[in-house]
Amino acid sequence: MGLFDRFKKPAVNENGEQVVKVIVDGGYKPETVHLAKGVPAKLVFERVSDKGCLEVVHSPQMGFEANLPLNQEVTFDVKTDQAGEYGFACGMDMFKGKVVVK
Ligand SMILES: [Cu+2]
């Protein structure tokens, strides 16, 4: 892993938001999402297969819970005002991912 990989930040769109897509396909891809602190952010989930038990995604820490209909994007706003790690998981907490804000 090179120096630049470690500090890689997601692209910022024309509204100044970090938008990161998580593909749900028998797990979360990527499992770890990196966000820059202090920049508004959106997490976009799209479930593309029936593998696993991933119909629901929730995050008590980030304050969202929703069903993920197949092949539809579901978007959540993510607060980035505090550095830290914030988990998300399937409805039964079997599959996990996390957002790292720094
Ligand atoms: Cu599950």
Side-chain angles (χ1 to χ4, degrees), residues 19-34:
V19 180
V20 179
K21 182 140 186 195
V22 177
I23 298 293
V24 182
D25 185 8
Y28 298 112
K29 297 170 188 175
E31 285 185 344
T32 302
V33 171
H34 294 274

Side-chain angles (χ1 to χ4, degrees), residues 10-101:
V12 172
N13 71 9
E14 65 274 13
N15 297 321
E17 299 166 323
Q18 308 174 88
V19 180
V20 179
K21 182 140 186 195
V22 177
I23 298 293
V24 182
D25 185 8
Y28 298 112
K29 297 170 188 175
E31 285 185 344
T32 302
V33 171
H34 294 274
L35 296 173
K37 188 182 167 201
V39 181
K42 284 182 167 24
L43 213 46
V44 182
F45 288 88
E46 184 172 358
R47 188 164 67 99
V48 300
S49 86
D50 256 337
K51 280 185 274 177
C53 53
L54 293 144
E55 296 87 353
V56 171
V57 65
H58 77 135
S59 171
Q61 287 181 307
M62 290 183 278
F64 61 71
E65 171 159 6
N67 284 302
L68 299 176
L70 263 185
N71 302 314
Q72 281 183 41
E73 293 188 338
V74 177
T75 301
F76 302 103
D77 290 314
V78 176
K79 284 190 182 169
T80 59
D81 49 327
Q82 289 198 24
E85 293 192 5
Y86 306 96
F88 57 85
C90 74
M92 293 132 289
D93 292 324
M94 294 163 64
F95 292 95
K96 293 182 180 170
K98 68 182 174 187
V99 171
V100 179
V101 177

